[in-house]
Amino acid sequence: MQREQNQKPGRRRSFTPAEETRIALRRHQPQKTGGKVRLPSWSALAGEFDRDPRLLQQASIRAFERGHVKVIEVPRLPAECVRVEGLEKALHFKFKVRRPIVVDTDEFEREYLKTFHNPGHYSALNALDDEIHRILGAHMARIIEERFIFDDSCVIGLGAGRGVYYILEALLLRKVMLDYTDVALMSLSGFVHPHDYASRLSVPLDSDYHVWLMASCFSTQVRLQQVYYPITCEKRDDTPLGQKSWKEFHPQVILAGVGALSSGHRFYDAAKSVRHTAAAQPDTMLAPIMKELSELVEICDRISKLSKAIDPAFWPVGDICHRLYYVQPPASVTVPPTDQAHAERLIKCINDKLLNVSEGQLREVQIALVAGTLRKAYAIHELLRAGRYNVRVLCIDKKAAEKILEIDTTERSHLGNNYQSGQ
């Protein structure tokens, strides 16, 4: 009792969100002491804020968890990694990709994970995924500099996601000015959310944003065709993706990434957030598809549990330009027919409500694809198999390339003469 009476009332009062934000910012403000630049200790801040150090630390954590404070990564050029010519030749031979780019990131991955206290934690692995995509984006940027992908009087389509973003980041950081005449840039999907969906980047990563970024990479004026509507908007005919507009004016080549509907994918995380948090409200941009999306995520989780022990790289749903598609499982994984049929119905229902490039439109264009990591190997292979799309350039990491070739060999052995891998 005596202890409670002697305790300062101020030390027991709860923090306001504004105070939590100020504490988090102060903790990460470097100061020079003893000739060295260091972050202030919690003990030092305890005197400044007149609060217990442990309470200050908890307040700082809450500020980050609630999104009031975040770490923004400064754009920079990635680590240099060599290419693997043997794998590039194999991909060209098997899938008729005109310009495969395979980057060996193995050594970089080992060294990068050593910088984390817990290398196996999802935050470390997500950070590594970002770095791999940054490396791939820089390699694709070099191919663009060589004038291999685009021509004069070309319409260039731009997808969403970090793969495309890192291509543009590399071009901007290298101060590349592309010298083309009569070029136009076109968005391939509506925007998913007004906020970013790559917490380490703090940029929106939507197609419209990428159009603005890439316009800065040209030495001459370019025409811009943007969607300007949310991903679930029903005004397709009012956008460049409408049937009439597309017929008159559409891309010859597009830059796109590949996604897997798993943890870290915007659609997946949004569905999980609504399902597991009673107070959560559906993302307003995704609300029209949230019911079907939640069901699809539930099926994906169920299938991934079946396949995890057999092949942890397999995820049953992929996306290109936010257009979802079913990924055929390996022969060793038995997916219940009812789950596959239900997943395919949900995918069709969701795609019908999305404002993005259609299946037919994707088949009309040449695709420069940048994507990596084992988690996306099956999704990438699904786009390559049987000449589904005209993938002209493919930029991936070594592990993903090896996995794709392994998948192809296994399926060829299983299906025999009924299997087609090339275009």
Side-chain angles (χ1 to χ4, degrees):
M1 188 71 176
Q2 183 67 29
R3 183 179 178 182
E4 290 184 1
Q5 290 176 350
N6 293 337
Q7 196 170 30
K8 293 183 180 181
R11 288 183 178 267
R12 300 180 61 83
R13 179 178 57 81
S14 61
F15 293 104
T16 65
E19 288 174 325
E20 291 175 350
T21 300
R22 189 160 63 90
I23 290 165
L25 292 174
R26 182 67 184 87
R27 172 67 174 92
H28 292 84
Q29 182 180 345
Q31 57 188 25
K32 193 171 184 178
T33 56
K36 295 183 178 180
V37 178
R38 296 174 177 169
L39 295 178
S41 67
W42 291 115
S43 298
L45 293 179
E48 181 178 329
F49 287 93
D50 192 26
R51 303 298 290 270
D52 186 275
R54 290 171 297 179
L55 296 179
L56 293 176
Q57 189 173 10
Q58 292 167 7
S60 177
I61 292 171
R62 285 195 297 273
F64 279 95
E65 289 178 340
R66 294 171 178 174
H68 298 150
V69 179
K70 71 189 305 182
V71 176
I72 299 176
E73 188 170 285
V74 178
R76 55 183 171 75
L77 287 170
E80 289 291 334
C81 296
V82 299
R83 288 168 55 176
V84 187
E85 186 178 348
L87 290 174
E88 291 178 350
K89 289 180 177 179
L91 289 171
H92 172 71
F93 175 76
K94 286 206 171 187
F95 300 106
K96 304 301 183 289
V97 176
R98 187 173 172 187
R99 187 74 175 268
I101 305 161
V102 179
V103 185
D104 186 352
T105 61
D106 288 357
E107 184 179 351
F108 166 78
E109 292 178 33
R110 287 191 295 270
E111 294 301 316
Y112 184 76
L113 288 176
K114 288 179 183 178
T115 64
F116 290 86
H117 177 69
N118 183 2
H121 193 264
Y122 76 91
S123 61
L125 298 177
N126 285 345
L128 177 61
D129 278 5
D130 273 347
E131 289 304 313
I132 291 173
H133 282 82
R134 175 182 272 118
I135 291 168
L136 297 178
H139 278 266
M140 182 72 92
R142 293 191 186 104
I143 303 302
I144 291 175
E145 288 182 65
E146 294 173 12
R147 297 182 67 93
F148 179 81
I149 300 177
F150 310 134
D151 297 308
D152 291 329
S153 304
C154 180
V155 181
I156 303 166
L158 293 168
R162 58 184 173 177
V164 176
Y165 170 78
Y166 280 130
I167 297 172
L168 306 180
E169 180 191 75
L171 290 172
L172 291 168
L173 287 174
R174 290 160 62 88
K175 295 181 170 52
V176 173
M177 297 303 291
L178 303 174
D179 186 20
Y180 293 87
T181 58
D182 193 26
V183 167
L185 305 176
M186 179 186 290
S187 299
L188 298 177
S189 68
F191 53 85
V192 175
H193 198 276
H195 304 297
D196 65 277
Y197 56 92
S199 58
R200 297 175 70 245
L201 297 173
S202 193
V203 292
L205 302 187
D206 286 318
S207 292
D208 277 359
Y209 179 70
H210 290 163
V211 165
W212 283 112
L213 278 185
M214 191 165 194
S216 304
C217 299
F218 287 88
S219 60
T220 56
Q221 187 173 1
V222 296
R223 290 174 291 160
L224 308 182
Q225 291 282 330
Q226 293 168 286
V227 171
Y228 291 121
Y229 288 109
I231 189 72
T232 51
C233 181
E234 297 179 354
K235 298 184 177 181
R236 173 177 287 271
D237 290 342
D238 296 337
T239 74
L241 301 174
Q243 186 175 356
K244 183 178 179 181
S245 298
W246 182 273
K247 187 176 181 180
E248 295 174 352
F249 185 86
H250 68 267
Q252 286 82 47
V253 61
I254 70 171
L255 295 179
V258 177
L261 192 61
S262 59
S263 179
H265 190 288
R266 185 54 194 258
F267 287 4
Y268 182 96
D269 290 347
K272 282 288 190 180
S273 174
V274 170
R275 186 178 174 191
H276 291 158
T277 309
Q281 295 295 319
D283 186 312
T284 54
M285 303 295 178
L286 301 179
I289 62 170
M290 192 54 68
K291 179 179 180 297
E292 295 86 353
L293 188 58
S294 296
E295 290 181 39
L296 182 60
V297 164
E298 185 177 346
I299 293 173
C300 286
D301 285 347
R302 192 157 60 240
I303 294 174
S304 67
K305 285 179 181 179
L306 290 173
S307 64
K308 190 172 183 180
I310 302 170
D311 193 341
F314 174 69
W315 293 91
V317 177
D319 94 86
I320 177 171
C321 300
H322 290 137
R323 186 162 196 83
L324 302 178
Y325 57 90
Y326 185 74
V327 178
Q328 293 297 325
S332 55
V333 175
T334 302
V335 175
T338 52
D339 277 350
Q340 177 172 339
H342 192 193
E344 290 175 335
R345 284 196 299 270
L346 290 169
I347 288 170
K348 183 181 185 308
C349 184
I350 293 169
N351 283 339
D352 286 346
K353 296 180 180 180
L354 296 181
L355 178 55
N356 56 9
V357 63
S358 70
E359 173 78 7
Q361 289 169 341
L362 282 171
R363 291 179 182 272
E364 294 178 20
V365 300
Q366 296 182 24
I367 302 176
L369 206 60
V370 56
T373 72
L374 282 175
R375 180 169 54 175
K376 297 181 181 179
Y378 276 93
I380 298 169
H381 180 263
E382 188 69 28
L383 298 179
L384 297 174
R385 68 198 303 270
R388 180 170 182 166
Y389 300 118
N390 182 9
V391 179
R392 185 184 184 193
V393 181
L394 173 64
C395 185
I396 57 177
D397 62 289
K398 178 186 171 185
K399 283 189 174 74
E402 290 173 337
K403 186 64 180 179
I404 289 169
L405 292 167
E406 175 193 316
I407 295 167
D408 190 76
T409 300
T410 303
E411 289 200 11
R412 182 187 297 274
S413 174
H414 179 68
L415 297 175
N417 293 333
N418 294 324
Y419 180 65
Q420 282 186 310
S421 63
Q423 295 176 330

